[in-house]
């Protein structure tokens, strides 16, 4: 079965409407964290977790999109977090789009091609908000969310499988090196 026929089967005749990111999610700025107390809430910057604080900036499922620096370093979070000003968070309209569906779709976009920085890679809200996001069956929200959830389920299964394969490869390399580390023969002395 080709990929297209699988997608057609999943859509089951439903149309797809392309909506700007700004219509399905609000892209929001991060804030300074230097004056917050230490805690157990992770602080995200474009490079990942930078530390931990006692307050959160948002506590619902979200997609973090870097504003500066490592602009391809996208994160999906379901737990409270704080984000600094090099990282956007998204307030997702979950009546239109499954948050993790948005995450998987954003990961397909070549964000480097949208870079506005002259030295350090940068993304602006003006660049992000018009990005077109596919919404299957837009006139039937229940069906739309079900289709998106199925796509997420499939992609998450592959993500888990990929992580498992990576771990097994590292395990193999460790044991290969350990099991094949025979002592080298002593150099023969001539003369």
């Amino acid at each position: 079965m080709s990929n297209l026929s699988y997608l057609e089967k999943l859509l089951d005749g439903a149309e797809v409407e392309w909506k700007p990111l700004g219509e399905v999610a609000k892209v929001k700025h991060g804030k300074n964290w230097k004056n917050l107390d230490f805690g157990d809430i992770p602080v995200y910057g474009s490079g990942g977790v930078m530390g931990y604080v006692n307050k959160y900036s948002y506590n619902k499922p979200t997609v973090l999109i870097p504003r500066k620096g490592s602009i391809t370093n996208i994160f999906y979070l379901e737990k409270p977090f704080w984000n600094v000003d090099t990282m956007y968070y998204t307030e997702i309209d979950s009546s239109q789009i499954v948050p993790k569906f948005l995450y998987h779709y954003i990961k397909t976009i070549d964000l480097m091609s949208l870079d506005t920085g002259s030295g350090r890679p940068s993304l602006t809200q003006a660049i992000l908000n018009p990005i077109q996001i596919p919404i299957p069956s837009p006139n039937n929200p229940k069906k739309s969310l079900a289709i998106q959830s199925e796509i997420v389920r499939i992609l998450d299964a592959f993500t888990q499988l990929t992580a498992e394969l990576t771990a097994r490869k590292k395990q193999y390399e460790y044991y290969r090196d350990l099991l094949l580390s025979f002592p080298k023969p002593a150099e023969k002395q001539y003369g």
Side-chain angles (χ1 to χ4, degrees):
M1 179 184 299
S2 75
N3 291 341
L4 184 58
S5 63
Y6 184 77
L7 182 58
E8 287 172 345
K9 182 178 177 186
L10 190 59
L11 290 173
D12 190 28
E15 64 182 67
V16 174
E17 181 180 346
W18 291 83
K19 291 187 174 185
L21 174 61
E23 284 186 25
V24 297
K26 291 180 183 170
V27 178
K28 308 286 259 178
H29 283 280
K31 300 174 194 158
N32 187 351
W33 66 295
K34 301 288 186 200
N35 297 324
L36 299 175
D37 292 329
F38 180 79
D40 61 354
I41 306 292
V43 177
Y44 281 85
S46 59
V49 175
M50 303 169 55
Y52 294 87
V53 295
N54 65 335
K55 293 184 181 178
Y56 59 84
S57 53
Y58 196 63
N59 67 344
K60 295 180 181 170
T62 190
V63 177
L64 298 181
I65 304 169
R67 186 177 74 79
K68 293 235 181 247
S70 305
I71 62 175
T72 59
N73 211 9
I74 310 294
F75 296 95
Y76 174 75
L77 301 175
E78 293 183 342
K79 295 183 177 180
F81 65 91
W82 187 274
N83 61 304
V84 299
D85 65 350
T86 61
M87 181 70 81
Y88 294 116
Y89 71 95
T90 52
E91 289 181 355
I92 300 168
D93 180 353
S94 57
S95 69
Q96 293 188 73
I97 191 164
V98 172
K100 204 158 194 190
F101 177 83
L102 177 62
Y103 165 76
H104 283 297
Y105 189 76
I106 292 287
K107 298 243 342 150
T108 70
I109 296 169
D110 178 10
L111 294 176
M112 288 304 291
S113 71
L114 304 175
D115 176 18
T116 62
S118 58
R120 187 175 179 202
S122 300
L123 294 171
T124 64
Q125 287 179 331
I127 293 290
L128 293 171
N129 282 327
I131 290 174
Q132 297 292 300
I133 308 295
I135 305 296
S137 194
N139 298 323
N140 184 342
K142 186 176 179 180
K143 182 175 183 178
S144 179
L145 296 175
I147 292 168
Q148 293 174 46
S149 294
E150 178 61 8
I151 291 169
V152 166
R153 184 192 68 75
I154 293 165
L155 294 176
D156 281 353
F158 279 110
T159 301
Q160 185 176 1
L161 180 60
T162 301
E164 179 67 22
L165 289 172
T166 300
R168 291 288 172 238
K169 183 176 184 236
K170 287 181 181 177
Q171 187 178 32
Y172 162 77
E173 289 169 353
Y174 170 79
Y175 282 106
R176 176 198 62 203
D177 293 347
L178 186 67
L179 293 169
L180 296 177
S181 63
F182 295 100
K184 301 281 185 214
E187 298 257 343
K188 293 190 178 192
Q189 299 292 325
Y190 294 100

